[in-house]
């Protein structure tokens, strides 16, 4: 019997009131219910999310206070989605940087491979700041070290569909970073748990409403701390990772 497939979208939102309506419209056009996880946004953004939830079918506004970061918002959203009977969750940013037209394609990939985590492999245009571009290369190299594998071509793109069962189990058993480090950490830890990964090329721009919450010093320090944690985790798992590689 094939695994039941009931996807929804989980959108973490922090002060993206000017772009989020377009993202919600694309998600609903793809036939997905939508959970808007409001990570302590301003009153103006909260009002827009309430409005969208009121006028858009199968759209719910989950208000969190205070702001605790994207990772925390995603874990809350995953648990809420599972509690509502969904089996998979699309993660997509509220700022409009992801290719909204690719949503049906990643949903169909997840439908065909319900056991897998479907990941966007980004194709960037000229809008990407050069500092961010080179920073990504360093992160990728560290992820390859910490997985002893080249099977993760990009660990930073937040356009994914997660199978909720292994994600909820992971979040219950291990600490996952609550802010910008979330996208990298959850991917590596799911890889360590042998969750299959599949990749979809997708275009990414910088962001539709001109609002970025990446803070160069703070978030880069978080990334350094994350990579040190992952390095320790890799060393603890080294025999098994080497066995998997040889097998």
């Amino acid at each position: 019997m094939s695994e039941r497939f009931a996807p929804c979208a989980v959108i973490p939102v922090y002060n993206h009131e000017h772009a989020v309506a377009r993202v919600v419209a694309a998600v609903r056009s793809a036939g997905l219910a939508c959970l808007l996880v409001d990570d302590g946004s301003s009153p103006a953004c909260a009002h827009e999310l309430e409005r969208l939830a009121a006028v858009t079918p199968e759209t719910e506004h989950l208000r969190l206070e205070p702001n605790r970061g994207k990772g925390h918002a995603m874990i809350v959203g995953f648990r809420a989605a599972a509690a509502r009977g969904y089996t998979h969750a699309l993660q997509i940013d509220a700022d409009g940087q992801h290719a909204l037209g690719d949503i049906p394609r990643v949903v169909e990939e997840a439908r065909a491979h319900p056991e897998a985590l479907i990941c966007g492999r980004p194709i960037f245009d000229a809008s990407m700041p050069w500092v961010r571009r080179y920073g990504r290369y360093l992160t990728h190299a560290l992820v390859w070290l910490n997985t002893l594998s080249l099977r993760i071509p990009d660990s930073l793109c937040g356009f994914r569909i997660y199978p909720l069962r292994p994600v909820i189990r992971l979040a219950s058993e291990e600490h996952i970073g609550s802010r910008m480090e979330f996208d990298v950490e959850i991917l590596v830890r799911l890889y360590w748990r042998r969750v299959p990964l599949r990749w979809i090329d997708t275009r990414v721009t910088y962001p539709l409403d001109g609002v970025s919450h990446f803070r160069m010093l703070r978030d880069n320090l978080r990334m350094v701390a994350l990579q040190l944690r992952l390095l320790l985790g890799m060393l603890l798992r080294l025999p098994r990772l080497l066995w998997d590689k040889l097998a």
Side-chain angles (χ1 to χ4, degrees), residues 29-180:
S29 292
L32 299 182
C34 184
L35 298 178
L36 296 167
V37 186
D38 179 358
D39 187 24
S41 295
S42 67
C45 184
H47 177 76
E48 172 64 4
L49 298 180
E50 290 171 359
R51 185 193 69 81
L52 288 170
V55 302
T56 311
E58 295 188 75
T59 299
E60 186 176 349
H61 175 207
L62 306 178
R63 173 74 174 175
L64 308 180
E65 291 187 276
N67 172 268
R68 291 181 58 184
K70 176 182 180 179
H72 176 74
M74 287 305 305
I75 295 299
V76 169
F78 289 150
R79 287 177 169 146
R84 288 155 177 75
Y86 296 106
T87 62
H88 292 71
L90 168 71
Q91 173 187 337
I92 187 168
D93 288 353
D95 59 12
Q97 68 171 316
H98 296 138
L100 302 177
D102 287 342
I103 294 173
R105 193 156 57 96
V106 297
V107 170
E108 287 310 306
E109 187 73 8
R111 189 187 307 276
H113 304 277
E115 77 291 350
L117 167 55
I118 312 302
C119 307
R121 180 165 46 202
I123 301 170
F124 293 103
D125 62 16
S127 68
M128 184 183 191
W130 69 268
V131 173
R132 299 283 292 273
R133 188 181 299 271
Y134 289 108
R136 293 181 81 90
Y137 294 149
L138 176 59
T139 298
H140 299 340
L142 291 170
V143 166
W144 297 334
L145 170 65
N146 288 327
T147 57
L148 300 185
S149 172
L150 299 177
R151 295 179 182 174
I152 299 180
D154 187 280
S155 57
L156 289 162
C157 181
F159 185 44
R160 302 171 180 169
I161 295 188
Y162 295 86
L164 286 173
R165 187 181 303 161
V167 169
I168 299 298
R169 185 180 305 121
L170 171 62
S172 299
E173 295 173 355
E174 300 188 47
H175 169 77
I176 305 294
S178 63
R179 293 194 178 272
M180 293 293 190

Side-chain angles (χ1 to χ4, degrees), residues 209-241:
D209 59 4
V211 177
S212 173
H213 298 301
F214 186 87
R215 299 295 177 260
M216 192 64 67
L217 179 60
R218 182 194 69 185
D219 290 324
N220 279 322
L221 287 175
R222 287 182 178 277
M223 283 295 188
V224 170
L226 168 64
Q227 295 299 342
L228 290 174
R229 290 201 309 274
L230 293 179
L231 178 60
L232 176 60
M234 182 273 287
L235 293 173
L236 293 172
R237 294 168 174 82
L238 186 58
R240 201 204 74 203
L241 291 171

